[in-house]
Amino acid sequence: MLHKLLGVPPVLALLLATTGLQGQKAVSANVTADLPAGPMQAKATTTCLECHEARIILQQRLSKGAWTKEVDKMAKWGAVVDPADRDALIDYLSTNFSPDQPQYEPQRTSEKSGKSK
Amino acid sequence: MNSRRQFIKNSARAALVAGAVPSLISWAFPQKPVVEVPGEDGMILRSFRFIDLETPVEYFNTWLTPTGHFFVRNHMYEPVELDRGSWRLSIGGEVEKPLTLSWAELSRIESHSVVNTLECAGNGRSLQRPQVPGIQWGKGAVSTARFSGPRLRELLQRAGVKSTGKHVMFRGLDEVPGKVPPFIRSIPIEKALDSDTLVAVQMNGAPLTKHHGFPARALVPGWIGAASCKWLTEIKVLDAEFVGNFMSPAYRFPNQPGKPGDAVKPEDTHPLTALSVKSVIAGPSNDATLKNGRVAVHGAAWAGEADIVKVEISTDGGATWSPARLGRDQSHYAWRLWSYDWKPGKPGDYIVQSRATDNQGRTQPVAPIWNPSGYLYNAIDQVNVHVA
């Protein structure tokens, strides 16, 4: 078992086995953050993350009205939103990513010098 | 597992074994996440699948921005396959003689250089209140480089623009997901024929990198970044402005300033063109604690097609202003670096602000003009510092 060989927790061993050891592309792909838990997490993941990553959503802080416009625009642009799910999806987004949520903290790309800020 | 410390120790060991230190350390230390993007250096990650990278303001300390520090804005996915051998650039539409140029043919056309400050129209969007949707840029979707390549005018003259030609459309090779409208925009013929508007093939003396539009991009100096189409493959002369999402409703600005949060009717807007007057403080950083003594306040200021004539600094919340010293390096479309030697005198909390003025008489406002997409944020810049 990789985790026994390396002396790391199983979850990290799994990460190494599936991403880290396969080179740059896989490591990079793994940085995509997930959407928060909630009744619409799975459907939002399928609907929204077909074209863009969760990060695009995580950085928004919008009113319910603004989220409604965004969801309808994205549906027009090809996002598959079941009409029965539209209101719940808007609720999920406007609850988790409302203007009163704490500020989003973006990641940085690594520095050529190797140190992180 | 006994503790977080043990976990971190194990993680670091695993990272060394894997040879993927930055990514795995970032995974184990969520408070300081770091992502590998080849060629990019310490940039703020706004989007990864279509790359959007912001330049940290502390990098605004060189007149020309190194390419690894130059902000990146992509609306779509970058083209997967790009090679100069098969790349072609067509020039058509309202022209006498449509052309298709190969890379070799383009390379034989005389090259011209322009130092240009490129700024995303949405730079500063995250500072708008109420908040608006879009990439939540802080202050750093702006950078400066020397762009080189044939003048667009030269290509248009070879094709012979008809008298019906009023606008010039650019199409790039970026790949569009779903039913998203393609990223196509146009500029008026007058700007297209300007001697400084280029089909750029180089940036800071090196071939364009993929993130910046290899092998060729439009360079429309002094204008919002969206005008300077990357991975350029088609130039089309039109008899009217291009009709498409990225001309309307996107990239438009209210004709009259309204109240923050108010809706704006499409007929009361116009397409964005040149950039506003603006300055940004690169140092000291917001919330910095400084030793009492001499403090170098410094940053950059730009004004699109206009020239910066002064940058003023206030350290008392805007009650009084003193001129900053403008840097020696200058070029018509490029930012000016500036600095101000500040002696706080006594310890305490200070608000440090910068305010730029250009030769069109425009000065940075106290509050930005709010608009539903958060374009052209240019309020007086500010950092809060503590002098110990």
Side-chain angles (χ1 to χ4, degrees), chain B residues 62-328:
Chain B
T62 58
W63 189 55
L64 297 180
T65 312
T67 302
H69 290 172
F70 200 104
F71 87 98
V72 177
R73 171 56 169 137
N74 292 349
H75 288 75
M76 313 291 171
Y77 306 135
E78 292 185 353
V80 175
E81 292 292 333
L82 281 170
D83 86 278
R84 286 171 176 162
S86 57
W87 176 84
R88 295 289 182 274
L89 176 61
S90 68
I91 300 126
E94 301 293 315
V95 297
E96 304 292 348
K97 196 178 66 172
L99 301 175
T100 300
L101 298 173
S102 66
W103 174 258
E105 288 164 330
L106 188 75
S107 303
R108 283 197 289 271
I109 300 173
E110 186 190 356
S111 180
H112 178 66
S113 290
V114 174
V115 179
N116 181 58
T117 293
L118 202 61
E119 183 183 23
C120 175
N123 191 27
R125 176 178 289 126
S126 66
L127 306 170
Q128 296 275 7
R129 292 295 178 274
Q131 286 142 300
V132 295
I135 295 295
Q136 296 298 304
W137 298 113
K139 300 175 184 178
V142 56
S143 306
T144 300
R146 176 176 284 111
F147 293 91
S148 310
R151 291 185 166 103
L152 175 60
R153 181 170 76 180
E154 172 72 23
L155 305 189
L156 292 172
Q157 284 170 347
R158 288 183 185 207
V161 176
K162 291 182 182 172
S163 60
T164 48
K166 303 296 183 200
H167 291 259
V168 176
M169 180 208 97
F170 303 122
R171 188 168 64 84
L173 289 165
D174 35 350
E175 294 173 13
V176 180
K179 297 180 210 158
V180 177
F183 187 73
I184 299 179
R185 303 186 75 256
S186 66
I187 61 171
I189 190 76
E190 296 78 18
K191 185 67 176 176
L193 293 174
D194 188 286
S195 62
D196 289 326
T197 299
L198 308 180
V199 173
V201 296
Q202 286 198 325
M203 190 170 157
N204 293 336
L208 291 174
T209 64
K210 190 173 180 183
H211 295 325
H212 294 290
F214 175 89
R217 71 177 300 169
L219 193 277
V220 183
W223 283 32
I224 59 165
S228 293
C229 175
K230 300 195 277 190
W231 314 288
L232 186 64
T233 191
E234 183 186 357
I235 297 169
K236 191 171 180 185
V237 181
L238 307 174
D239 61 3
E241 189 176 284
F242 178 74
V243 177
N245 178 77
F246 292 98
M247 293 303 293
S248 180
Y251 292 111
R252 296 182 84 85
F253 203 72
N255 296 334
Q256 300 293 332
K259 279 210 313 271
D262 278 1
V264 182
K265 290 183 192 151
E267 59 268 31
D268 296 334
T269 63
H270 59 273
L272 290 171
T273 55
L275 296 171
S276 300
V277 62
K278 188 163 174 179
S279 67
V280 165
I281 299 169
S285 306
N286 192 40
D287 293 333
T289 295
L290 311 170
K291 275 198 297 194
N292 202 355
R294 297 173 76 148
V295 176
V297 181
H298 65 101
W302 62 97
E305 293 181 320
D307 294 326
I308 291 292
V309 293
K310 66 177 174 182
V311 175
E312 298 163 290
I313 304 302
S314 172
T315 57
D316 56 11
T320 61
W321 295 86
S322 304
R325 191 173 62 248
L326 295 178
R328 233 186 4 209

Side-chain angles (χ1 to χ4, degrees), chain A residues 6-9 11-12 15-16 19-21 24 27-32 48-53 55-56 59-63 66 69-70 73 75-78 98-100 104-114 116-117, chain B residues 1 7 10-11 13-15 17-18 20 22-24 26-27 32-50 52-53 56 58-59 68 77 131-137 177-181 245-246:
Chain A
L6 298 179
V8 298
V11 63
L12 246 189
L15 183 78
L16 292 174
T19 61
L21 297 174
Q24 185 57 51
V27 170
S28 300
N30 192 55
V31 300
T32 302
C48 309
L49 307 195
E50 173 71 18
C51 292
H52 63 75
E53 72 222 64
R55 191 175 278 111
I56 297 288
Q59 64 189 275
Q60 311 297 325
R61 296 290 180 271
L62 300 174
S63 67
K69 281 188 193 167
E70 284 304 299
K73 181 178 83 179
K76 198 174 73 180
W77 286 0
S98 61
D100 57 357
Y104 174 75
E105 292 295 334
Q107 293 175 289
R108 296 278 286 256
T109 71
S110 63
E111 294 189 40
K112 282 175 184 161
S113 59
S116 63
K117 292 209 168 193
Chain B
M1 219 42 251
F7 172 75
N10 286 340
S11 304
R13 193 191 315 163
V17 171
S23 298
L24 283 171
S26 71
W27 185 82
K32 278 193 176 182
V34 173
V35 178
E36 280 286 352
V37 181
E40 302 296 335
D41 185 10
M43 301 288 278
I44 300 166
L45 182 68
R46 298 287 172 194
S47 172
F48 185 81
R49 280 179 67 192
F50 35 88
D52 289 317
L53 301 175
E58 63 263 28
Y59 290 171
Y77 306 135
Q131 286 142 300
V132 295
I135 295 295
Q136 296 298 304
W137 298 113
K179 297 180 210 158
V180 177
N245 178 77
F246 292 98

